[in-house]
Amino acid sequence: MSELVIDIESSVLLRPVIELEPGRFGSCPDPGSGPWNDEQSARYWRTCLAESGIVDLRPVVPASWFVLASEIDTPFPLDKILDEHLDGAEIGADLEEVSPFSGGFVLYGDAEPILLPSCCGDLGNIDEWKKAAAQRTDSPEMLWVGHPWYSTWFADGRLHIREEHEYPGPRAPRTVRVAPTLLEAAISDANREIDQLVDRLLSLLRTGPRSALASEIAQVLVGRRQ
């Protein structure tokens, strides 16, 4: 299979997303054995989340579990998502029981989502995107977004970001080409979105039983562990 190359010339966005795993919000029958189509997967996701009262969120693409962090902008369902993520953890001053929200960052070009996080990605992966934007060598390096990851290299004035497959994939890998300056600006915007998420988390944490460590917990949740 030949490789598909996608050039992003303008309107580059890097948007933080949180992964809402359906089974953690509700216990509902799955569509059955075998590969699910997009409609079946989306229905399962919506049904499970609805058991927790979450009915207004939409994934960034059909059949994904990723929701834009900016759309989780009200106390509910953010408090439900926060409670599920912490899951009764005994949080000490070392915060070892707290992990970043699963998910990561979606790369958009011309308002279309192009590259999504993979399994085991989280909001701390913005540091990987920063490292990629600064790359100026033509030797491929890993951009960790979960597994499978991306490979990145610099050539002809642009950063190349290629999908990788841990197993034989159903389609040819895609390579996105983008000017580093555009990606750097998108990373700055993504950081501002993360700052806004921190503010929303603090408004919840400061009124709950973990108020003494609210600031520290919020920073860890968005991948900014000190």
Side-chain angles (χ1 to χ4, degrees), residues 131-139 141 153-155 157 159 179-181 184:
K131 184 173 70 174
Q135 185 173 351
R136 293 296 182 273
T137 65
D138 58 7
S139 178
E141 296 184 5
W153 65 94
F154 183 78
L159 180 69
T181 52
E184 288 165 355

Side-chain angles (χ1 to χ4, degrees), residues 120-140:
C120 302
D122 63 50
L123 291 179
N125 295 150
I126 195 166
D127 291 334
E128 291 286 308
W129 284 97
K130 290 176 182 176
K131 184 173 70 174
Q135 185 173 351
R136 293 296 182 273
T137 65
D138 58 7
S139 178

Side-chain angles (χ1 to χ4, degrees), residues 15-18 57-60 66-73 106 108 193 200:
R15 303 292 305 278
V17 293
I18 295 176
L57 297 179
R58 297 291 179 268
V60 293
F66 299 117
V67 174
L68 287 171
S70 63
E71 293 192 0
I72 310 174
D73 59 357
V106 176
Y108 285 77
E193 284 200 53
R200 296 195 295 275

Side-chain angles (χ1 to χ4, degrees), residues 20-101:
L20 303 183
E21 183 180 343
R24 298 179 72 95
F25 293 91
S27 178
C28 41
D30 63 48
S33 60
W36 301 348
N37 60 37
D38 285 357
E39 182 181 351
Q40 289 174 316
S41 182
R43 184 167 59 249
Y44 173 68
W45 186 81
R46 291 194 306 268
T47 302
C48 287
L49 265 62
E51 288 195 3
S52 289
I54 303 173
V55 296
D56 294 327
L57 297 179
R58 297 291 179 268
V60 293
V61 297
S64 89
W65 297 348
F66 299 117
V67 174
L68 287 171
S70 63
E71 293 192 0
I72 310 174
D73 59 357
T74 54
F76 182 86
L78 183 57
D79 56 352
K80 181 65 181 179
I81 294 167
L82 179 61
D83 287 345
E84 181 282 322
H85 183 75
L86 296 177
D87 194 24
E90 295 292 333
I91 299 175
D94 59 5
L95 302 183
E96 285 301 314
E97 297 300 315
V98 184
S99 60
F101 281 123

